[in-house]
Amino acid sequence: MEQLLTYLARALVDQPDQVSLRISDAEGARLFELKVAPEDVGKVIGRDGRTVNALRTLLNAAAQKAGQKVRLEILDDRRNAAGAPGAAPPPAAPDASR
């Protein structure tokens, strides 16, 4: 399953050398955390999440055949960058005094 997911992710992105996969056990299932370059996150997720849902379907089919349960999450460093030093501040709330 790890090889299948890594192979598919590398085929989807522009920077295949930045694809990494972390596997852990969580809540009675194996958790696959896929990390790609920040500019490739959209390619892995796809329009309306169609690509990531297809990856989840394939992964679940392979896991079911092996008698396992799995979850796939895409790690997005862009969300973490908002709180990082030097990052743009969040937009200001509208002024309610008017």
Side-chain angles (χ1 to χ4, degrees):
M1 285 184 279
E2 298 89 1
Q3 292 174 346
L4 172 66
L5 187 56
T6 304
Y7 173 79
L8 292 171
R10 287 185 176 160
L12 290 169
V13 299
D14 290 333
Q15 298 182 26
D17 56 321
Q18 297 220 4
V19 171
S20 65
L21 184 64
R22 187 170 62 183
I23 304 167
S24 60
D25 292 323
E27 301 173 15
R30 292 184 78 189
L31 174 62
F32 289 83
E33 294 177 321
L34 183 64
K35 184 175 180 183
V36 297
E39 56 273 7
D40 287 333
V41 171
K43 291 179 181 165
V44 174
I45 294 174
R47 183 172 288 158
D48 295 328
R50 289 181 183 152
T51 304
V52 72
N53 284 337
L55 289 171
R56 287 180 176 134
T57 299
L58 289 170
L59 191 60
N60 281 324
Q64 186 175 10
K65 188 173 182 180
Q68 299 177 351
K69 290 185 179 184
V70 295
R71 285 183 32 218
L72 172 62
E73 292 184 8
I74 309 299
L75 300 180
D76 187 359
D77 284 342
R78 295 177 302 171
R79 286 188 289 167
N80 298 341
D95 188 11
S97 62
R98 291 188 212 177

